[in-house]
Amino acid sequence: QVQVVESGGGLVQAGGSLRLSCAVSGFIYSINVMVWYRQAPGKQRESVAVITSSGGTTNYTDSVKGRFTISRDNAKNTMYLQMSSLKPEDTAVYYCNARGSYYNRRSQYDAWGRGTQVTVSS
């Protein structure tokens, strides 16, 4: 069983910053892709940022480009989302998704965390 735990959410004023963390644990060989998603009340869940295993390829949704930075520490099996210049429209539950291979390399996993709430006040 792969465990995914997000942390770092909270209440912040517009223009402020937060850093979200996503810790992945379990008998895994690799985390090939990590994705931050978010879902605001009444809205569809959307991908926010994506990072590949090496960290050399990243992608962001247009609304966060220039403000959010995704990174990962492979030694710690941890992904981060540095969020700056936060806006009220960034308010959502942020979810971490990790995809990769189990230690036996015979199967893959697609694991989700339970989310962390980010609230940006005006």
Side-chain angles (χ1 to χ4, degrees), residues 15-31:
S17 299
L18 285 173
R19 189 180 75 159
L20 305 183
S21 298
C22 172
V24 181
S25 62
F27 294 104
I28 56 176
Y29 176 79
S30 65
I31 307 173

Side-chain angles (χ1 to χ4, degrees), residues 3-77:
Q3 305 295 323
V4 178
V5 180
E6 304 96 337
S7 62
L11 175 64
V12 65
Q13 292 182 333
S17 299
L18 285 173
R19 189 180 75 159
L20 305 183
S21 298
C22 172
V24 181
S25 62
F27 294 104
I28 56 176
Y29 176 79
S30 65
I31 307 173
N32 296 331
V33 181
M34 302 185 78
V35 187
W36 283 104
Y37 290 82
R38 68 184 180 187
Q39 187 168 26
K43 297 186 179 295
Q44 188 175 14
R45 183 161 53 184
E46 64 172 344
S47 62
V48 178
V50 181
I51 188 166
T52 55
S53 60
S54 68
T57 300
T58 59
N59 194 26
Y60 302 90
T61 190
D62 288 342
S63 63
V64 308
K65 287 182 178 178
R67 300 188 298 116
F68 290 11
T69 301
I70 189 171
S71 62
R72 61 189 290 175
D73 184 339
N74 290 337
K76 297 180 179 180
N77 286 341

